[in-house]
Amino acid sequence: MGRFSKLDFQGQPPAAVATPEDPWPNMDAHACLKLGEQQYQTGHYEPALTAYSRALRFDKGVSEAWIGQVRSLICLEEFSEAVTWSDRALEKFFGSPDLLACKGMALVRSGRPARGMECLDEAIELRSPSCWVWHARGDGLLRTGQGAANAKRCFLKAQEIDPQEGRLEMRIGISYNEVRKFAEARPYLLAAARSAPSNPLLMLHLGTMHEGLGEISLARGFYERALAARRGYREAQTALDRVSATGVCARLWQGLRSRK
């Protein structure tokens, strides 16, 4: 069963009872969905997965929760299960561009780029694709090496659809970071930081961008901010340790050179 045993939404949950053991007191499907989105956008993907699952226990007809689960699985690099979960959701929401884009993104990342891009192209051709669909297609183009210019056009289209969606800028920046196009990531991540200066996921990726550009001091500062915003952030701590070691090595090298 793997992770699917954790994605429990069979039946209706009992009436909420506020007890110390109950982490979901007085929360309905909408509240669980909102919590899942908050967790997802700050990089808490496991808790996000749980919150989306809880929303579906209340109401299996909430398509946003299905989408949220698949996106969380992708970010957790559970690509095979993300594809399977997309197929299950598409049985219920046939022809959903967002779910088809989720499947395409999971397929691209699982090593099936041709099939993944077919899904992403099909999602674009369906009715009124959302900004998420355009972003997913741009991400797929970057990962399959089909042209940075075409990817950028997809990202611009996503921003045209929802110019007020600041979280979209962060996700575009992350897409560039993950294919090591750090210079292209810079404007998106910096723009996102203006509206979410304490988002730990954004701080982590700002650090990654600066590190990739060789701006180690700036990278260190953002990794420290990520840790301050999210205690025990393993990825940020690993990155901070890495750039700190780099800084020590650089100073040792400069010291050796100065003695010659």
Side-chain angles (χ1 to χ4, degrees):
M1 289 293 290
R3 187 180 291 277
F4 289 118
S5 62
K6 299 180 181 180
L7 300 180
D8 175 23
F9 56 86
Q10 301 300 318
Q12 296 296 318
V17 178
T19 68
E21 293 76 24
D22 183 6
W24 309 93
N26 304 317
M27 294 184 72
D28 58 10
H30 175 75
C32 291
L33 180 64
K34 183 177 179 181
L35 176 61
E37 185 64 12
Q38 291 171 345
Q39 301 279 29
Y40 173 78
Q41 294 297 352
T42 53
H44 290 73
Y45 299 123
E46 287 281 4
L49 199 62
T50 301
Y52 290 131
S53 177
R54 182 73 176 192
L56 290 175
R57 288 187 63 198
F58 282 100
D59 185 354
K60 292 188 286 290
V62 181
S63 62
E64 293 88 352
W66 290 85
I67 294 166
Q69 284 193 338
V70 178
R71 291 168 71 180
S72 297
L73 286 168
I74 290 171
C75 290
L76 289 166
E77 299 185 355
E78 301 278 359
F79 304 128
S80 179
E81 292 190 342
V83 172
T84 302
W85 205 245
S86 297
D87 285 335
R88 290 190 180 186
L90 283 164
E91 291 175 2
K92 188 173 185 63
F93 303 97
F94 179 77
S96 164
D98 292 82
L99 285 167
L100 196 57
C102 285
K103 181 178 179 179
M105 181 176 276
L107 285 166
V108 167
R109 297 186 185 207
S110 68
R112 290 172 281 178
R115 178 65 185 123
M117 289 309 301
E118 286 178 7
C119 290
L120 289 165
D121 290 342
E122 185 179 344
I124 290 295
E125 294 169 1
L126 292 172
R127 63 188 185 279
S128 305
S130 66
C131 63
W132 151 248
V133 174
W134 282 103
H135 166 250
R137 186 171 185 270
D139 182 273
L141 289 169
L142 284 178
R143 291 175 183 275
T144 55
Q146 296 187 38
N150 288 334
K152 186 173 183 179
R153 280 194 285 270
C154 288
F155 295 148
L156 288 173
K157 183 65 176 178
Q159 289 180 295
E160 288 174 7
I161 291 174
D162 195 350
Q164 303 303 316
E165 178 52 88
R167 295 170 298 184
L168 179 62
E169 293 171 323
M170 178 183 73
R171 290 292 166 181
I172 294 172
I174 291 174
S175 292
Y176 278 120
N177 262 1
E178 290 179 341
V179 295
R180 301 186 62 79
K181 292 185 177 294
F182 303 113
E184 290 85 346
R186 184 196 292 270
Y188 293 103
L189 295 173
L190 291 177
R194 288 195 287 269
S195 58
S198 61
N199 184 331
L201 178 64
L202 177 56
M203 296 301 106
L204 174 67
H205 279 278
L206 280 161
T208 302
M209 176 269 291
H210 285 298
E211 183 183 357
L213 293 173
E215 300 165 349
I216 302 303
S217 179
L218 288 171
R220 185 182 301 110
F222 278 111
Y223 292 145
E224 290 172 349
R225 288 175 62 180
L227 281 166
R230 177 177 167 184
R231 183 176 300 177
Y233 198 169
R234 179 174 54 81
E235 291 87 347
Q237 185 63 64
T238 299
L240 180 59
D241 292 343
R242 182 177 61 247
V243 296
S244 297
T246 299
V248 170
C249 291
R251 288 193 295 273
L252 285 173
W253 174 245
Q254 289 296 330
L256 289 171
R257 291 187 63 185
S258 66
R259 295 176 186 177
K260 295 181 179 180

